Amino acid sequence: NAASHAAGAGRKLEAEMNRAAFYAVVRKDLGALTQSQVTGFEVLLTAVNGLPVAQQAYLLATAWHETGATMQPVREAHGATDAQTIARLEKAWAAGKLKWVKKPYWRKDADGKSWFGRGYVQLTHKENYQKASDRMGIDLVSDPSAALSPMIAARVLVQGCTEGWFTGAKLSDFLPGNYVGARKVVNGTDRAQDIAHYAVSFEAALKAAEEAAPSPDVELPASIPTQPAAAWWWNVFAGFIRLFWRQMK
């Protein structure tokens, strides 16, 4: 399953992937990057490791689009707070801009919780938070804001797209070979061409990183156990932090 696809592969990623080559292509195609963007990329590169390169590229492209290129988990409508997000959605709803919405899911329920979209890909509606909780073994229903944690958001993105949580379609139904069609895994055909364009750039960056000589000055993280599902992601994050600070020296 997706929770175990990276088992033991974290070391392979760090040993074989040339980060400088990856970022050189990304910057050439998409422009300069902030440190916050790079930090987001590092979390996601670890999360997608072990998947076929086309799937890795499309997941990075999806995150790039859904987060407005910040590569950090976001609230729906890019609100800085829950209150601002709810206000923005209410305004759009009142203006008739959310015609596909049958019920304003962002309004707080009896428990004071709001089920608007959060993450690298927008996890929306209480039933979907429950589904993600069941699949990952992490309680997002008690605290939906936990979906904004980078490690958890990355799992939602990867497992949701590879297992077909969102629309029933999986990345493997389209990839390799159909980046435009792969948008149906998340959201029909919305911005499908744009995201396909990003995916092409990320595929080139990933391949450049694989083909370049690996950096000799790399600290390898501990291997990643497959169980429990939540614990290995913290090990991944710890490995990433060690690598990040080593590269910043």
Side-chain angles (χ1 to χ4, degrees):
N1 59 33
S4 62
H5 85 265
R11 296 180 64 86
K12 180 175 184 289
L13 172 70
E14 307 304 347
E16 296 183 2
M17 183 176 186
N18 187 308
R19 290 297 208 269
F22 173 82
Y23 288 116
V25 174
V26 172
R27 289 185 174 100
K28 177 177 68 70
D29 288 355
L30 299 175
L33 299 173
T34 66
Q35 188 57 62
S36 178
Q37 286 173 303
V38 172
T39 300
F41 269 116
E42 290 297 317
V43 171
L44 288 164
L45 285 169
T46 301
V48 303
N49 182 44
L51 292 171
V53 67
Q55 294 190 22
Q56 294 185 47
Y58 196 80
L59 288 165
L60 293 175
T62 296
W64 182 266
H65 167 69
E66 296 285 349
T67 68
T70 67
M71 300 309 275
Q72 294 293 327
V74 296
R75 294 174 179 85
E76 189 173 358
H78 295 266
T81 64
D82 287 3
Q84 186 178 68
T85 295
I86 293 169
R88 288 181 176 181
L89 291 169
E90 284 288 354
K91 183 177 181 180
W93 168 262
K97 296 180 179 179
L98 303 176
K99 298 183 184 301
W100 61 90
V101 175
K102 297 180 180 179
K103 182 180 179 181
Y105 52 84
W106 55 84
R107 292 177 181 170
K108 291 184 178 181
D109 63 14
D111 296 321
K113 296 173 184 176
S114 178
W115 306 102
F116 56 75
R118 297 175 176 88
Y120 287 117
V121 63
Q122 298 297 292
L123 185 64
T124 308
H125 300 291
K126 183 176 181 179
E127 57 267 30
N128 290 325
Y129 279 81
Q130 184 64 63
K131 178 190 291 185
S133 297
D134 294 342
R135 298 290 180 87
M136 298 191 304
I138 299 172
D139 186 0
L140 299 180
V141 175
S142 294
D143 181 16
S145 65
L148 290 169
S149 161
M151 292 78 72
I152 293 174
R155 286 193 63 188
V156 171
L157 173 67
V158 174
Q159 286 188 240
C161 290
T162 58
E163 297 176 4
W165 295 0
F166 307 123
T167 66
K170 305 174 183 179
L171 289 180
S172 59
D173 295 335
F174 301 95
L175 302 175
N178 188 357
Y179 279 142
V180 174
R183 182 59 174 164
K184 294 178 181 177
V185 172
V186 176
N187 192 9
T189 59
D190 176 61
R191 302 291 294 278
Q193 293 285 350
D194 291 340
I195 300 167
H197 172 75
Y198 302 143
V200 170
S201 294
F202 288 127
E203 180 176 340
L206 289 164
K207 288 182 175 178
E210 288 179 359
E211 294 167 2
S215 172
D217 186 21
V218 172
E219 179 178 339
L220 301 181
S223 60
I224 304 167
T226 60
Q227 296 294 336
W232 73 268
W233 275 86
W234 294 106
N235 290 337
V236 169
F237 184 63
F240 152 65
I241 290 296
R242 292 197 299 271
L243 173 65
F244 173 73
W245 285 113
R246 185 72 169 269
Q247 290 181 331
M248 288 292 288
K249 291 180 180 179

